[in-house]
Amino acid sequence: MTVAVGSAFHAASPTASHAAVSYTAQAGGHRALTISLFVAFVLVTLYITFWASRQTRTATDFYAAGRSFSGVQNGIAIAGDYMSAASFLGIAGLIALFGYDGFLYSIGFLVAWLVALLLVAELMRNSGRFTMADVLAFRMRQRPVRTAAGVSTIVVSIFYLLAQMVGAGSLVALLLGVKGAVAQNIVIVAVGALMIFYVTVGGMKGTTWVQIVKAVLLMAGTTLVTLLVLVKFDFNVSALLSTAAEQSGKGAAYLEPGLKYGATATSKLDFLSLALALVLGTAGLPHILIRFYTVPNAKAARKSVVWAIGIIGTFYLMTLALGFGAAALVGSKAIAASNKAGNTAAPLLAEAVGGGAGSTGGAVLLAVISAVAFATILAVVAGLTLASSSSFAHDLYANVIRKGQASEADEVRAARIAAFVIGAISIVLSIFAQKLNVAFLVALAFAVAASANLPTILYSLFWKRFNTTGAVWSIYGGLISSVVLVIFSPVVSGGKTPLISGADFHWFPLENPGIVSIPLGFLCGWLGTVLSKDRSSEEKYAELEVRALTGVGAH
């Protein structure tokens, strides 16, 4: 699902190009306001981070904020962690460009929470301590399982980080009127530096409060734009949709299935693969899983997910107004001319409903909504960096390299160093991934999470026979298969807008590997278990089951 859809709009009309230029000029003309809002948010979050740093003394404080957040607070923070740049920028762009098929992303992201609520949230809170690997290693051999889980966590987090930082580059380039790769690269480096600071200084407590502030701002901003869009059409949804179809250039096909996923058998399979990745991936996302450890008990974990579902569900319903409103009021051609992947549809819509190019209202709303999107990116990248650095420090450093002999101070120090390294890697990779749609990049992260993490989590919690060999095979089987299939897919080479131009070495026809790699992850876990004679993990299954279901013995 590479959604760098420039090929569909290669011959953008002069009108579309002019519109895009006017939006960029308008953004650039009000740079003082834009920069002021950005700086205000950054200053607020820096204050929160410094405040949190004074309360971060132990490993529990750094990894889980001392388990001090209520279910409501954690639910808002989960929503803030989950409603990423893909949600706000990518999905709005996909709906604006592809209509009905673009909205399928929203459905997948939302339905996925039912899997997390019913199968994972409470059990993970009761069974683990700081990371996903705590649950997997409870009845397995520590070193091989923690190594595999740590590697998987870092890979998934980096995929997700790419999406946020690519979104940041597109957004700020639009706002400040900057052109050229160098300017966007500077933005990516700046975002990376901020996320490293949030994690190394504030730990989980600082990161959580940043996510809560961001969630409130995002919901307020999205609600405002949604209402303004509906006002433009006198709250007549039918008029909104018909105007969107007309301005999309696709006519009635814009509101029907198949504009993106339906032309061929391959595209239909791609859609099924996407759906599987989105629905099953959430329950395996490391930065979501660690949020369940910041509450004091399982009841609060359940409440967290219920609140998160309510907030996220409302938000994804509003993405309909954002996407179709952008198509109707800005026009698909103008959106594609501004950013081929559609990542700037939401900010451009904000300017349009605020009064249009050249108006003070349009400039103010464009700056406000873009600042909210920037806040979204900063909050999510902080959560992702924390998840991956925590996994490295707690799983790989403390339990594999130091064999459980590391002190809490050593562990937290290793987490801070890991945040620097992972942040640097993400910055470099993001610079090379700027042609890809942010929603697509997140879908890849979901595919890897669903292939490598979810099978192992479910087997560990529900299958008594499951053992260390099965866990290692499941993680590496799902991880390697999903990453290899992406490398040899049209996303990287041979597609309409590949990551590597001028080369074609793809042999896997789909753009999302989930339909193949997710079953492979489950199959590898089963094969590894039944082919191994190791039955030692069965001894502690009863203890894990009691702990997972009742919370007795939970940290």
Side-chain angles (χ1 to χ4, degrees):
M1 282 123 354
T2 202
V3 198
V5 291
S7 58
F9 298 90
H10 250 330
S13 68
T15 303
S17 299
H18 175 73
V21 170
S22 72
Y23 284 123
T24 303
Q26 176 72 359
H30 293 80
R31 290 181 185 176
L33 174 62
T34 301
I35 293 172
S36 297
L37 288 169
F38 276 22
V39 170
F41 176 79
V42 170
L43 289 176
V44 169
T45 54
L46 290 179
Y47 172 78
I48 291 171
T49 304
F50 278 119
W51 168 78
S53 68
R54 295 197 296 269
Q55 303 181 44
T56 301
R57 297 181 180 85
T58 67
T60 302
D61 291 333
F62 186 85
Y63 293 134
R67 311 196 199 285
S68 59
F69 285 97
S70 68
V72 175
Q73 290 172 327
N74 197 47
I76 298 172
I78 288 174
D81 214 355
Y82 193 69
M83 296 184 301
S84 64
S87 304
F88 192 55
L89 302 177
I91 291 177
L94 287 170
I95 295 173
L97 297 177
F98 296 107
Y100 180 93
D101 282 11
F103 185 58
L104 295 174
Y105 269 87
S106 294
I107 299 299
F109 284 139
L110 180 56
V111 171
W113 272 103
L114 297 178
V115 179
L117 174 62
L118 297 175
L119 294 179
V120 171
E122 179 180 354
L123 304 181
M124 289 290 288
R125 170 61 190 86
N126 287 342
S127 308
R129 190 179 179 205
F130 296 137
T131 65
M132 173 185 76
D134 287 336
V135 177
L136 307 183
F138 183 81
R139 61 190 187 98
M140 314 289 180
R141 294 199 306 277
Q142 295 273 323
R143 298 186 72 188
V145 171
R146 286 192 183 275
T147 300
V151 169
S152 176
T153 294
I154 292 169
V155 170
V156 172
S157 297
I158 287 177
F159 266 125
Y160 217 138
L161 277 168
L162 296 187
Q164 311 310 313
M165 295 167 75
V166 167
S170 300
L171 176 72
V172 180
L174 170 81
L175 277 177
L176 302 183
V178 296
K179 296 181 180 179
V182 175
Q184 291 202 26
N185 292 347
I186 291 171
V187 171
I188 288 173
V189 171
V191 171
L194 277 171
M195 77 181 182
I196 291 169
F197 179 83
Y198 291 149
V199 172
T200 55
V201 176
M204 176 59 88
K205 182 162 285 188
T207 299
T208 300
W209 278 112
V210 169
Q211 288 163 347
I212 290 172
V213 171
K214 164 259 170 139
V216 173
L217 291 175
L218 181 60
M219 289 300 290
T222 306
T223 302
L224 175 61
V225 175
T226 298
L227 289 174
L228 290 174
V229 168
L230 294 176
V231 166
K232 287 275 187 182
F233 293 91
D234 296 322
F235 289 87
N236 187 332
V237 176
S238 179
L240 167 62
L241 296 178
S242 60
T243 306
E246 181 182 337
Q247 295 298 317
S248 71
K250 301 294 181 181
Y254 180 76
L255 300 177
E256 297 173 357
L259 191 59
K260 178 160 180 63
Y261 306 113
T264 64
T266 300
S267 66
K268 291 177 181 177
L269 275 177
D270 229 338
F271 166 64
L272 182 57
S273 189
L274 165 69
L276 283 172
L278 295 183
V279 171
L280 298 178
T282 298
L285 288 175
H287 70 297
I288 297 298
L289 294 175
I290 66 169
R291 292 235 53 89
F292 299 137
Y293 300 132
T294 63
V295 291
N297 51 52
K299 180 181 178 181
R302 287 195 304 273
K303 191 172 185 179
S304 297
V305 180
V306 171
W307 269 83
I309 288 175
I311 296 169
I312 292 166
T314 303
F315 174 80
Y316 283 128
L317 282 176
M318 291 191 291
T319 60
L320 274 172
L322 295 180
F324 288 121
L329 299 172
V330 180
S332 297
K333 287 185 178 180
I335 292 168
S338 169
N339 181 271
K340 291 181 179 180
N343 293 332
T344 55
L348 297 184
L349 172 64
E351 183 181 46
V353 297
S359 69
T360 302
V364 170
L365 199 55
L366 171 62
V368 168
I369 294 303
S370 298
V372 168
F374 190 62
T376 293
I377 291 166
L378 289 179
V380 175
V381 295
L384 288 161
T385 307
L386 182 63
S388 50
S389 60
S390 296
S391 183
F392 173 84
H394 184 63
D395 299 325
L396 298 178
Y397 174 75
N399 287 286
V400 176
I401 298 172
R402 295 289 299 274
K403 300 179 182 178
Q405 301 302 310
S407 67
E408 282 196 353
D410 290 338
E411 206 173 309
V412 172
R413 190 180 305 113
R416 288 178 166 138
I417 294 171
F420 275 101
V421 175
I422 291 165
I425 293 171
S426 301
I427 289 169
V428 172
L429 292 178
S430 298
I431 289 172
F432 291 99
Q434 292 183 60
K435 290 195 298 181
L436 301 180
N437 178 278
V438 290
F440 157 72
L441 286 168
V442 169
L444 288 186
F446 274 65
V448 177
S451 305
N453 296 345
L454 184 64
T456 319
I457 291 170
L458 294 183
Y459 279 147
S460 293
L461 292 172
F462 299 108
W463 187 17
K464 182 178 180 179
R465 175 76 172 82
F466 194 52
N467 58 27
T468 302
T469 304
V472 172
W473 281 33
S474 181
I475 292 175
Y476 286 132
L479 179 64
I480 293 170
S481 63
S482 55
V483 172
V484 167
L485 290 177
V486 168
I487 291 172
F488 292 102
S489 75
V491 173
V492 175
S493 72
K496 292 181 179 178
T497 51
L499 194 58
I500 300 175
S501 302
D504 186 359
F505 48 84
H506 89 282
W507 47 261
F508 183 66
L510 306 181
E511 295 174 339
N512 189 289
I515 197 170
V516 175
S517 58
I518 294 171
L520 269 177
F522 280 99
L523 177 62
C524 288
W526 177 80
L527 270 179
T529 300
V530 298
L531 294 178
S532 171
K533 296 180 180 179
D534 179 16
R535 306 294 289 260
S536 59
S537 62
E538 294 183 21
E539 299 172 5
K540 296 194 73 176
Y541 177 74
E543 184 181 346
L544 175 65
E545 187 175 35
V546 170
R547 174 178 290 194
L549 294 175
T550 67
V552 174
H555 294 282

